[in-house]
Amino acid sequence: MDSKTPTVVALIPARAGSKRVPGKNIRRLKGHPLIAYTIAAATQSQVFSAVIVSTDSEEVAEIARYYSAEVPFLRPPEYATDKSPDIEWIDYTLRHLSNLGRDFDCFSILRPTSPCRQPQTIQRAWQGFLAQANQVDSLRAVEKCQQHPGKMWVLKGSLMKPLLEQNTLANRPRYGNELGNSPVNHNLQPPNLGQKATLREQPANLQPPNRQPANLQPANLQPSTSDTPWHSTPYQALPEVYVQNASLEIAWSKVVLKEYTIAGKVIMPFITHDHEGLDINDLKDWWYLEYLIAQGEAHLPMVSQKPM
């Protein structure tokens, strides 16, 4: 990276507690602790000025250091509960690093529970972010929904209503600056699924966005006919909808330090491919990943160290 490219730090969250898969972040997968694959991908991408693990555990810290990550300090216990929001530990980490004289223009969250994320995945995301960095606050990994929200329901006592009452779109004004303001109830409006803005060449001097949203045009969210509800529409005729996964996020540090949010208001998509976004949440996910690896369908980053 040259001097005009923003600096970016990799933040890998790895608290000790995990109820569904005990010790998940350091549980062995193909000989290495799970966290080793995320550290390897981050290091080999050569994108980051530093690769830092945020943990409340000395054991996790020792393992992270063995696999070449930094753990300059431990996360306070109050920011490491199973209900602690990400903004708490990220804000704490960036401020603590700043107090140590280490400031970064951007940060990236790389969760150990997505071990199939490759160095090339990170490189692709970073280049995508740089191409629109003056227009967006953050980038977030997404993938196409397996279960379409147009076929989801909200229960109302002994009755139910569609989650998305899409026919109310008929007289709705075009999306302007309404990014992300959809109400969440049985009259929920479909979210802005604007087409990805065209990638431009990297600007010479990248700065955080001036709060003007990217020029995104709305996707065609109308059902095949105005009278056909989505829950009665074939999947093939429904608009494409994407769901976030846990593999990767990138944002300007200022959205945390000045606005106390990890995403800001203007968010660009990063579409993951194949198993890049596969996330381990419970033992079924773990067993499924082991099966995919055994079948040669999923691949882990190469880890240069011998198993610890």
Side-chain angles (χ1 to χ4, degrees):
M1 294 186 295
D2 59 41
S3 60
K4 296 179 180 179
T5 303
T7 56
V8 56
V9 58
L11 300 180
I12 302 175
R15 66 183 185 88
S18 176
K19 293 181 178 179
R20 289 178 288 187
V21 184
K24 176 172 59 178
N25 291 318
I26 57 175
R27 180 175 172 143
R28 299 279 168 164
L29 178 67
K30 301 295 289 184
H32 294 285
L34 185 67
I35 194 173
Y37 299 104
T38 291
I39 295 173
T43 303
Q44 293 167 22
S45 74
Q46 299 185 327
V47 163
F48 302 108
S49 301
V51 176
I52 292 176
V53 169
S54 171
T55 182
D56 57 328
S57 165
E58 286 286 3
E59 180 184 12
V60 174
E62 181 182 359
I63 292 172
R65 293 184 183 112
Y66 174 82
Y67 285 99
S68 76
E70 294 184 60
V71 189
F73 45 81
L74 292 182
R75 189 193 305 187
E78 61 267 29
Y79 300 150
T81 71
D82 57 358
K83 295 184 179 179
S84 298
D86 286 331
I87 186 61
E88 292 183 347
W89 70 263
I90 296 171
D91 179 74
Y92 173 84
T93 301
L94 291 177
R95 292 184 187 280
H96 204 139
L97 288 170
S98 181
N99 291 338
L100 297 175
R102 304 181 70 183
D103 294 295
F104 302 92
D105 299 315
C106 305
F107 66 93
S108 178
I109 308 172
L110 303 174
R111 303 180 196 275
T113 51
S114 294
C116 295
R117 176 205 316 101
Q118 302 292 325
Q120 297 83 357
T121 311
I122 298 170
Q123 292 167 354
R124 199 171 78 246
W126 180 235
Q127 289 305 313
F129 179 80
L130 290 179
Q132 298 193 61
N134 285 339
Q135 296 178 293
V136 301
D137 292 320
S138 65
L139 167 152
R140 178 165 295 205
V142 295
E143 60 190 50
K144 194 176 294 186
C145 280
Q146 296 299 312
Q147 298 189 41
H148 199 285
K151 292 185 178 289
M152 294 181 182
W153 299 79
V154 175
L155 301 186
K156 294 273 182 181
S158 61
L159 302 176
M160 64 183 187
K161 290 191 174 184
L163 176 67
L164 302 182
E165 292 192 345
Q166 72 284 352
N167 286 342
T168 59
L169 279 174
N171 297 316
R172 190 176 183 211
R174 290 176 61 84
Y175 297 109
N177 296 330
E178 304 177 56
L179 294 173
N181 290 334
S182 300
V184 182
N185 53 39
H186 71 274
N187 288 319
L188 182 71
Q189 300 293 334
N192 178 31
L193 296 174
Q195 295 176 352
K196 184 176 178 182
T198 303
L199 297 183
R200 308 189 319 269
E201 292 186 0
Q202 179 181 333
N205 185 19
L206 291 174
Q207 297 294 332
N210 60 8
R211 311 304 308 161
Q212 295 299 316
N215 184 24
L216 300 179
Q217 296 299 319
N220 180 13
L221 294 180
Q222 299 294 343
S224 54
T225 70
S226 59
D227 298 323
T228 304
W230 281 357
H231 59 78
S232 298
T233 300
Y235 268 91
Q236 295 81 354
L238 290 170
E240 291 185 353
V241 177
Y242 290 80
V243 61
Q244 69 185 45
N245 61 50
S247 66
L248 189 149
E249 297 169 55
I250 300 173
W252 291 99
S253 297
K254 68 171 292 184
V255 302
V256 171
L257 301 176
K258 294 184 178 181
E259 302 173 27
Y260 202 65
T261 169
I262 64 172
K265 297 178 181 178
V266 185
I267 307 167
M268 67 175 287
F270 173 70
I271 301 175
T272 53
H273 304 311
D274 300 321
H275 300 295
E276 290 176 328
L278 190 149
D279 188 33
I280 298 175
N281 286 308
D282 53 36
L283 285 173
K284 293 193 300 294
D285 297 331
W286 192 284
W287 297 331
Y288 179 56
L289 176 56
E290 289 182 322
Y291 169 80
L292 292 174
I293 294 171
Q295 297 298 310
E297 297 182 30
H299 302 280
L300 298 167
M302 295 294 297
V303 177
S304 59
Q305 293 86 351
K306 294 181 180 179
M308 185 177 183

